[in-house]
Amino acid sequence: MMKLNHLKLATRLILSFAVLSALAALIALVGLSSLAAQSTRFEDVVFDNSRKIALCDDLIRSIAAASASISAIILNGDDTAIVNQELTQLKLERAEYDQNWTALERLPASDAGRVIRKKIDAGKIMARAANDAVIALVLDKKLSEARVALTASAMPLNAIWLAALVENQAFQTAQSEEQIQASNQEMARAKTLLLVITGAVILGGLWLGLLVTGSIQQPVNGLLKAMAEVARTGDLNQNVQYAGRDEFATLVSEFNGMLEKQRLTTQAIESQNWVNTGMTSVAEQLRSDLSLGELSRLTVSCLARYTEAQAAALFVFDEEHQYLSLMASFAYELRKGISNRFALGEGLVGQAALEKQLISVTNLPADYSRIASATGDTLPRNVLVMPLVHENQIKGVLELSRVTEFDPVALDLLRRAGDAIAVGLHVAQSAENT
């Protein structure tokens, strides 16, 4: 799985913006679609119910008008012109009723609504039959019988028919209120869903923001912590760890590289200061008023202590007899069967003098001179045998032993000190010969 810190910073920000934009678009799409659907449904419900109630009103009005026409026919049964006029009006009212009823039938209805419609239709059939019977009696000039039929049959059946229509009107009104309430509840649920989705998107955006911020903050905090530690303690041994592949990886790498360069520079300065201090200490021992033996002793002791060598020895070259003899030592133990004088080329001391080259030995034999202390002795790990040369003339050999290896800085000091000691030996030997 791709990690955020493997992406470039700009890519991360663009990706975050794209995700948040997509989530915002999703909210808008879901919310608008849901609200639009609910709004359309609400409008349809309101329109259908309003249409049903309006048609019921028209049907009731048509029945009332028809009843009025029948009453006028009975009252004016002897006047043919009025009777014909009212019959024409009755036909118009019935045609309008049938047209409105057909329109109502086309509208959807619940099971309860369909039951009421059947009652209305049955009432219409019986009421119209009774009304037609009354009209027939009037047309036969049987007015008294027509009045009886009207009162006994037509009017009760018209009332039943009208009552069914009123019941339907009340039912449609109640159903309209219920459907409006249901639509309002659906709208409320849609709004709640929209709020929930919005909240989820906001939380997702916050989480994504924290994720992106964390991927940026972690390397920044690491750098700031390392900088603060360097500023507080001066410790350059800091190394910021970051596994990303973005711009911060380059920044962290540059910072670590800067610290490494600073460490190397600081180490070089410290090493140079250490060498200079050592040279100053050696120079203080090389006084011209000292004898050869005293100069050798002070010099060997100074170098051994400064370089932390556990043992040291200085061999001075006798030009007349062409051999090197032990002049001074520091914790030095003579090896069994080995003389403290060496001819040129004899042993490590004589070989170093002959070649005028530094010899460093790490794999020492078991019978080599051991480093002694109050608690025992041990074999040195590293022995340096360094010729002391002045104007290409061998003046002596310095041997130092240590239980740890001499590092390059110590070797640099010893080479430089060797030149100074060679001069000091030359001056001391010249003074003794005069």
Side-chain angles (χ1 to χ4, degrees):
M1 181 179 178
M2 177 66 73
K3 295 182 178 179
L4 276 178
N5 57 18
H6 287 182
L7 299 175
K8 296 296 184 182
L9 180 59
T11 304
R12 253 180 279 173
L13 295 176
I14 292 173
L15 180 61
S16 301
F17 179 77
V19 171
L20 291 177
S21 298
L23 291 175
L26 178 63
I27 290 178
L29 180 62
V30 172
L32 291 177
S33 298
S34 178
L35 291 176
Q38 294 301 325
S39 177
T40 301
R41 182 178 177 183
F42 179 78
E43 291 175 358
D44 292 342
V45 168
V46 172
F47 176 79
D48 287 346
N49 288 321
S50 298
R51 179 62 174 157
K52 289 175 184 178
I53 293 172
L55 288 173
C56 283
D57 288 340
D58 291 340
L59 291 173
I60 292 171
R61 186 194 58 76
S62 295
I63 292 175
S67 297
S69 295
I70 293 172
S71 297
I73 289 172
I74 293 175
L75 291 174
N76 300 284
D78 295 331
D79 191 336
T80 303
I82 294 176
V83 169
N84 290 332
Q85 181 182 350
E86 292 299 331
L87 286 173
T88 301
Q89 183 63 32
L90 179 61
K91 289 180 181 179
L92 292 174
E93 294 296 339
R94 285 186 173 181
E96 184 179 355
Y97 178 95
D98 291 339
Q99 182 180 359
N100 290 331
W101 179 253
T102 300
L104 180 63
E105 284 278 78
R106 290 173 179 171
L107 295 176
S110 63
D111 293 339
R114 283 191 289 271
V115 171
I116 295 174
R117 286 182 184 181
K118 287 181 180 179
K119 288 172 62 176
I120 295 171
D121 205 32
K124 178 191 74 173
I125 294 172
M126 291 188 293
R128 280 187 176 180
N131 290 335
D132 288 343
V134 171
I135 293 171
L137 290 173
V138 172
L139 293 177
D140 289 340
K141 302 301 182 180
K142 299 178 180 179
L143 296 179
S144 58
E145 294 179 10
R147 291 187 184 96
V148 172
L150 176 65
T151 304
S153 177
M155 289 181 66
L157 291 174
N158 284 333
I160 292 173
W161 183 17
L162 185 61
L165 283 169
V166 172
E167 180 184 0
N168 185 66
Q169 188 179 41
F171 173 77
Q172 294 299 333
T173 301
Q175 191 176 47
S176 175
E177 292 176 354
E178 291 178 358
Q179 291 177 337
I180 290 174
Q181 185 178 4
S183 295
N184 289 335
Q185 291 175 350
E186 288 294 328
M187 290 281 285
R189 280 194 289 269
K191 291 178 181 178
T192 301
L193 177 62
L194 183 60
L195 290 175
V196 170
I197 295 176
T198 302
V201 170
I202 291 174
L203 291 176
L206 290 175
W207 175 80
L208 183 60
L210 290 174
L211 193 63
V212 173
T213 302
S215 69
I216 296 173
Q217 190 175 15
Q218 185 265 336
V220 171
N221 286 344
L223 285 174
L224 292 177
K225 182 179 179 182
M227 291 178 181
E229 188 67 18
V230 171
R232 186 177 66 86
T233 64
D235 181 13
L236 298 175
N237 295 314
Q238 306 291 325
N239 189 41
V240 181
Q241 300 296 326
Y242 185 62
R245 301 174 186 171
D246 53 8
E247 293 89 341
F248 287 113
T250 302
L251 182 60
V252 169
S253 177
E254 291 293 331
F255 179 76
N256 288 336
M258 180 192 70
L259 288 183
E260 179 63 23
K261 291 178 182 178
Q262 188 64 34
R263 276 196 296 269
L264 294 176
T265 302
T266 302
Q267 289 174 359
I269 294 173
E270 291 176 350
S271 297
Q272 188 61 46
N273 290 339
W274 185 83
V275 170
N276 291 338
T277 303
M279 286 298 298
T280 302
S281 298
V282 171
E284 290 175 352
Q285 314 307 319
L286 299 175
R287 301 197 307 270
S288 59
D289 59 334
L290 297 177
S291 66
L292 181 60
E294 188 67 15
L295 182 144
S296 299
R297 185 184 63 80
L298 292 175
T299 302
V300 167
S301 177
C302 174
L303 269 182
R305 295 179 187 280
Y306 195 76
T307 61
E308 297 181 352
Q310 281 73 40
L314 177 61
F315 297 86
V316 176
F317 182 62
D318 187 335
E319 294 184 7
E320 182 180 355
H321 299 95
Q322 292 292 298
Y323 62 80
L324 295 141
S325 60
L326 180 64
M327 182 61 64
S329 65
F330 177 84
Y332 185 76
E333 182 179 340
L334 291 176
R335 286 157 285 183
K336 294 180 180 180
I338 301 298
S339 165
N340 60 355
R341 290 186 178 185
F342 297 92
L344 294 177
E346 181 183 0
L348 293 176
V349 174
Q351 191 66 31
L354 179 65
E355 296 180 358
K356 299 178 183 177
Q357 294 291 330
L358 175 70
I359 299 175
S360 177
V361 182
T362 53
N363 296 318
L364 298 166
D367 62 346
Y368 198 84
S369 178
R370 304 177 71 85
I371 297 172
S373 68
T375 58
D377 58 14
T378 184
L379 190 67
R381 181 181 179 87
N382 190 193
V383 172
L384 289 180
V385 184
M386 183 177 65
L388 305 175
V389 181
H390 175 63
E391 295 182 351
N392 204 34
Q393 298 295 317
I394 188 70
K395 296 299 179 181
V397 172
L398 179 64
E399 179 179 334
L400 296 104
S401 303
R402 202 162 74 169
V403 294
T404 58
E405 292 189 23
F406 290 93
D407 58 32
V409 179
L411 291 175
D412 181 44
L413 169 63
L414 292 173
R415 287 190 179 94
R416 294 174 60 182
D419 294 338
I421 295 171
V423 174
L425 291 177
H426 174 73
V427 171
Q429 287 173 334
S430 297
E432 288 187 355
N433 293 332
T434 59

